[in-house]
Amino acid sequence: MLFINVIRKRLLFLLAVVLGVSLITFSISHLIPGDPARLVAGERASEEVVQNIRIQMGLDRPLPEQYWKYLNATIHGDLGTSLRTNRPVAEDLKIFFPATLELALIALLLAVLVGAPLGVLSAVYRDRPIDHVVRTMAVTGISTPAFWLGLLLIMTFYGDLGWLPSGGRIGTELTPPARVTGLYLIDSAIAGDWPAFASSFKHLILPAFTLSFVHLGVVARQIRSAMLEELQQDYVRTARANGIAKWQVIVRHALPNALIPSVTVLGLALGDLLYGAVLTETVFAWPGMGAYVVNSIQSLDFPAVMGFAVVVSFAYVLVNLFVDLIYMLIDPRIQEVN
């Protein structure tokens, strides 16, 4: 019953968020100078032709009426038609979303696999040299612009060393795997196409590391803080007094408790990665939603930009709902509070 109540409340919150995002993006798109009808008609089209297109697109109607029409269509899954690709925005996002999701998931996995051990070491060896190194790395990661780091990695690992590709999802000499999930690593593994798997993996390394670097620092700081608190608890001192080995106490008792509050941080990180992929995808020519929305902004393709904002905000709230449910499952105290 508790889960149903939480889901019901969060779904109402989700509707409010999507409604707010759609209203903001709709307002901004109509405040920006530019005429989508002129863009569709072309620079040499007469004013009469442009006006006819404006009427066909409904741009001659009052803004509240246009917004209501857009909102009604969005509820039914119609995000409009892209002015640039001339395809339904929903179909475009369906094509590009798996690339962004794959990049965000690998970046999150990398941040957890590297950030969590660093956070534990930093807490266990507090105020030692390794603690100073980890804290410096965390601050550096949070402060480093993703586009600058991406360009630096391309210059080093592609330009100077030639070890890794500079962009794209797969080598141009290879055929992308048959679409099952849209995630090249999984699809190529399902197909048994190992050259495609290896190429996809190599193309993921630089953009995933760039995208994860900021969140690696966030994860390390969060784990460090939680571990320091756990290491001060009585059960840890009791376990040590009973002769249990130091690292056994840390790994089997303190770390699981320290990971509980970190679940929320990881959920927020995944949402941030979906948004943050915009710059990284642009730098690495990654064919995901980030590159799609940047090209759409440059072309004044308002339906595509609004569709991107609505879909990402929807995914962001869903991820947070999922995280809250996991949090309640692994921490009974949250259920008692609710």
Side-chain angles (χ1 to χ4, degrees), residues 70-153:
Y70 170 75
L71 194 62
N72 189 43
T74 301
I75 292 173
H76 292 87
D78 181 8
L79 298 175
T81 301
S82 169
L83 305 179
R84 186 169 57 89
T85 65
N86 203 30
R87 291 195 303 259
V89 173
E91 287 188 11
D92 281 348
L93 294 179
K94 187 178 177 182
I95 294 172
F96 293 113
F97 181 72
T100 298
L101 182 63
E102 183 175 46
L103 178 60
L105 289 176
I106 296 298
L108 181 64
L109 182 65
L110 192 61
V112 173
L113 291 180
V114 178
L118 288 178
V120 173
L121 290 174
S122 181
V124 173
Y125 297 104
R126 184 180 185 181
D127 294 332
R128 304 272 186 85
I130 190 171
D131 181 28
H132 298 313
V133 171
V134 172
R135 284 192 291 169
T136 302
M137 184 185 300
V139 173
T140 304
I142 295 171
S143 309
T144 303
F147 70 91
W148 179 84
L149 178 61
L151 293 175
L152 184 66
L153 291 176

Side-chain angles (χ1 to χ4, degrees), residues 53 180 203 229 316:
I53 293 176
V180 179
H203 281 76
E229 186 175 340
Y316 194 93

Side-chain angles (χ1 to χ4, degrees), residues 16-337:
V17 169
V18 173
L19 184 66
V21 169
S22 66
L23 179 59
I24 292 172
T25 53
F26 180 86
S27 302
I28 292 176
S29 66
H30 285 77
L31 289 174
I32 295 175
D35 187 353
R38 169 62 67 181
L39 181 68
V40 173
E43 292 297 329
R44 296 184 179 182
S46 65
E47 188 58 35
E48 182 181 357
V49 172
V50 174
Q51 182 61 22
N52 288 334
I53 293 176
R54 193 174 290 122
I55 293 173
Q56 291 174 7
M57 296 173 67
L59 298 176
D60 60 323
R61 310 305 301 171
L63 283 181
E65 183 178 337
Q66 290 185 44
Y67 177 66
W68 174 251
K69 184 179 178 182
Y70 170 75
L71 194 62
N72 189 43
T74 301
I75 292 173
H76 292 87
D78 181 8
L79 298 175
T81 301
S82 169
L83 305 179
R84 186 169 57 89
T85 65
N86 203 30
R87 291 195 303 259
V89 173
E91 287 188 11
D92 281 348
L93 294 179
K94 187 178 177 182
I95 294 172
F96 293 113
F97 181 72
T100 298
L101 182 63
E102 183 175 46
L103 178 60
L105 289 176
I106 296 298
L108 181 64
L109 182 65
L110 192 61
V112 173
L113 291 180
V114 178
L118 288 178
V120 173
L121 290 174
S122 181
V124 173
Y125 297 104
R126 184 180 185 181
D127 294 332
R128 304 272 186 85
I130 190 171
D131 181 28
H132 298 313
V133 171
V134 172
R135 284 192 291 169
T136 302
M137 184 185 300
V139 173
T140 304
I142 295 171
S143 309
T144 303
F147 70 91
W148 179 84
L149 178 61
L151 293 175
L152 184 66
L153 291 176
I154 290 175
M155 290 171 57
T156 304
F157 290 96
Y158 173 72
D160 295 338
L161 301 175
W163 290 354
L164 295 170
S166 62
R169 291 188 74 186
I170 193 170
T172 54
E173 74 281 5
L174 297 174
T175 303
R179 185 185 178 97
V180 179
T181 64
L183 311 181
Y184 278 12
L185 288 181
I186 296 178
D187 290 352
S188 57
I190 292 174
D193 189 350
W194 301 115
F197 181 90
S199 180
S200 302
F201 182 76
K202 288 176 64 176
H203 281 76
L204 265 169
I205 293 175
L206 291 185
F209 178 80
T210 301
L211 195 56
S212 70
F213 193 60
V214 171
H215 298 282
L216 185 152
V218 174
V219 172
R221 286 166 63 103
Q222 170 63 35
I223 295 291
R224 178 184 183 276
S225 176
M227 279 295 295
L228 286 175
E229 186 175 340
E230 292 300 325
L231 292 176
Q232 302 299 321
Q233 299 296 321
D234 291 338
Y235 74 89
V236 172
R237 284 194 288 268
T238 302
R240 293 294 308 276
N242 287 332
I244 300 178
K246 176 183 178 181
W247 283 102
Q248 189 175 357
V249 174
I250 292 172
V251 175
R252 295 186 58 182
H253 301 286
L255 182 58
N257 291 327
L259 289 176
I260 292 176
S262 303
V263 171
T264 303
V265 175
L266 296 179
L268 295 175
L270 180 58
D272 290 342
L273 288 170
L274 291 175
Y275 274 116
V278 173
L279 279 178
T280 306
E281 289 182 3
T282 304
V283 171
F284 289 96
W286 187 262
M289 289 201 306
Y292 174 72
V293 76
V294 168
N295 292 329
S296 300
I297 292 173
Q298 292 173 343
S299 306
L300 297 178
D301 189 353
F302 299 137
V305 176
M306 290 189 292
F308 168 82
V310 169
V311 168
V312 173
S313 62
F314 186 82
Y316 194 93
V317 179
L318 277 185
V319 167
N320 278 278
L321 170 62
F322 186 63
V323 168
D324 286 346
L325 295 178
I326 292 178
Y327 207 109
M328 284 192 294
L329 282 174
I330 61 178
D331 190 351
R333 293 173 297 179
I334 301 299
Q335 297 188 39
E336 293 176 3
V337 171

